[in-house]
Amino acid sequence: MSAGTVAVVATEEIGLPSWDLYELSIPCTVFGKPQPDLADPWYEMRLCGTRDGVGQPDAADTGAVGLTLRTPYGLDGLEGADTVIVPSVPDACVEEGRPLPPELIAALRRAYDSGARMVSLCTGAFALAEAGLLDGRRATAHWMHTAQLASRYPKVEVDDSVLYVDDGSVLTSAGLTAGLDLCLHLVRRDLGARVANQLARRMVVPAHRPGGQAQFIDESVPERDDEGLAPVLDWARAHLDRPLTVHDLARRAAMSPRTFYRRLQAATGTTPLQWLLAQRLGRARELLESTDLPVDKVGELSGLGTANNLRHHFLRHVGVTPGDYRRAFPRTCPTDPVRTP
């Protein structure tokens, strides 16, 4: 049994703008390349197009250098898929209100009615909304297009402040790297934290950014690298169960607390205490996803303290309780035993 069939829909096949290739390539990279050492068999991926080109522009009409894409499947490839992903829609459908191909909208509705998990990246939300799949649901898209999405589809609860929204059977994301975050989130749901984390490591991206993280956070990309901090930060990650302080880390880095504070903030865009909290929350998520340890033990090993303190931080920063989070990520494969102090 495979990890599931993922149908990725290319809504623009003639004159495909180069900037839309990023969103299209994300699910193809995550789901289309077999990873037999992580899960065997891996996902079965189908790249699907509208085939007849209804509603598609000529390359000369795109206003930019476009590409012609030949897909192995037409819209019939959506039939029987476990997950359907719409990475984007043509700019003219967003900016000018040009209708999407009716065959596409009908195929999306049939897929949803058949039980497929429906996913959009960036402007792909316009296709799900046009199909009525976002009515009464919270959803997001790239912040540059959320106002248009909300205006055109008033039944959709548009949230322009988050990276992605998981509403169970329907998921939406903001643009660019947020689409990658959502695809890795799907792998976590399907195959567990260990597989998703190892896949993210191979792609050299963060293992997990929660969907509730703001689109506008500047700290998500370090302003500059600071190799001198790497050893002490690696050491801190390995000792999160200890009561670490800024003075502890500064002393280990052979710096004054003031210098350590300034260099960490310059490298990561966040303060030492905020950085520590983020690492502790990440460790707690990993333990909740990959072990059956009691919640109070998860709090202890992550350095967040008691079960009540862990619950407080989860509600504030993740948006759910530790128990609800664990239920959302059931273990699907055995993991290495967790060492306890």
Side-chain angles (χ1 to χ4, degrees):
M1 180 178 179
S2 74
T5 301
V6 177
V8 180
V9 185
T11 59
E12 195 166 16
E13 299 166 74
I14 302 173
L16 177 69
S18 58
W19 54 84
D20 280 346
L21 288 176
Y22 185 83
E23 275 90 4
L24 180 61
S25 68
I26 288 171
C28 293
T29 301
V30 172
F31 304 108
K33 178 178 174 56
Q35 307 284 346
D37 57 322
L38 298 184
D40 191 18
W42 192 246
Y43 294 87
E44 175 194 341
M45 200 203 79
R46 305 171 185 168
L47 183 58
C48 308
T50 55
R51 283 296 174 92
D52 57 8
V54 175
Q56 306 294 340
D58 292 330
D61 295 333
T62 64
V65 176
L67 304 174
T68 298
L69 180 68
R70 298 183 64 181
T71 62
Y73 295 89
L75 291 174
D76 56 344
L78 276 62
E79 297 177 11
D82 300 290
T83 301
V84 172
I85 301 178
V86 185
S88 64
V89 300
D91 285 351
C93 297
V94 177
E95 304 294 342
E96 303 166 16
R98 192 183 72 198
L100 284 160
E103 294 84 356
L104 168 64
I105 302 306
L108 293 175
R109 289 173 179 155
R110 287 195 301 270
Y112 176 76
D113 290 341
S114 297
R117 179 173 58 186
M118 309 300 291
V119 180
S120 67
L121 314 182
C122 196
T123 58
F126 284 79
L128 298 191
E130 183 64 25
L133 306 184
L134 300 183
D135 288 356
R137 296 181 184 270
R138 181 167 159 263
T140 194
H142 192 291
W143 61 267
M144 292 180 66
H145 305 299
T146 48
Q148 293 158 304
L149 182 66
S151 175
R152 196 172 304 170
Y153 303 101
K155 294 182 180 180
V156 181
E157 182 185 343
V158 178
D159 187 343
D160 64 0
S161 67
V162 296
L163 295 178
Y164 58 84
V165 175
D166 182 344
D167 198 31
S169 60
V170 180
L171 301 91
T172 56
S173 85
L176 301 174
T177 54
L180 178 54
D181 292 324
L182 178 53
C183 287
L184 288 172
H185 172 75
L186 292 173
V187 175
R188 293 170 80 90
R189 274 184 48 172
D190 297 340
L191 299 174
R194 178 172 295 273
V195 172
N197 290 346
Q198 291 178 345
L199 179 61
R201 182 177 178 83
R202 291 178 183 182
M203 300 177 72
V204 198
V205 297
H208 185 218
R209 290 200 298 170
Q213 182 170 319
Q215 290 190 35
F216 302 103
I217 285 184
D218 293 333
E219 300 90 340
S220 59
V221 179
E223 295 178 10
R224 63 181 178 89
D225 294 330
D226 191 331
E227 294 182 359
L229 291 174
V232 70
L233 298 185
D234 289 342
W235 179 86
R237 292 187 189 97
H239 297 87
L240 291 172
D241 57 298
R242 301 185 182 184
L244 302 175
T245 67
V246 176
H247 283 76
D248 294 333
L249 299 180
R251 183 168 55 251
R252 191 168 188 88
M255 303 176 190
S256 69
R258 181 185 293 272
T259 299
F260 178 80
Y261 187 106
R262 184 175 63 251
R263 286 180 61 174
L264 181 64
Q265 189 167 43
T268 67
T270 189
T271 69
L273 291 180
Q274 290 171 332
W275 182 88
L276 267 175
L277 177 60
Q279 303 309 306
R280 295 189 191 283
L281 285 168
R283 178 61 170 156
R285 286 196 298 265
E286 179 184 350
L287 291 171
L288 289 169
E289 295 172 13
S290 61
T291 76
D292 293 323
L293 291 172
V295 173
D296 56 351
K297 192 64 177 179
V298 170
E300 176 187 337
L301 293 176
S302 63
L304 290 172
T306 65
N308 284 338
N309 200 43
L310 177 65
R311 178 185 175 89
H312 166 76
H313 285 295
F314 253 69
L315 284 172
R316 181 176 181 181
H317 297 282
V318 184
V320 296
T321 67
D324 287 341
Y325 187 88
R326 171 170 271 167
R327 283 187 287 274
F329 292 96
R331 285 199 297 158
T332 58
C333 56
T335 60
D336 295 333
V338 176
R339 291 179 296 174
T340 59

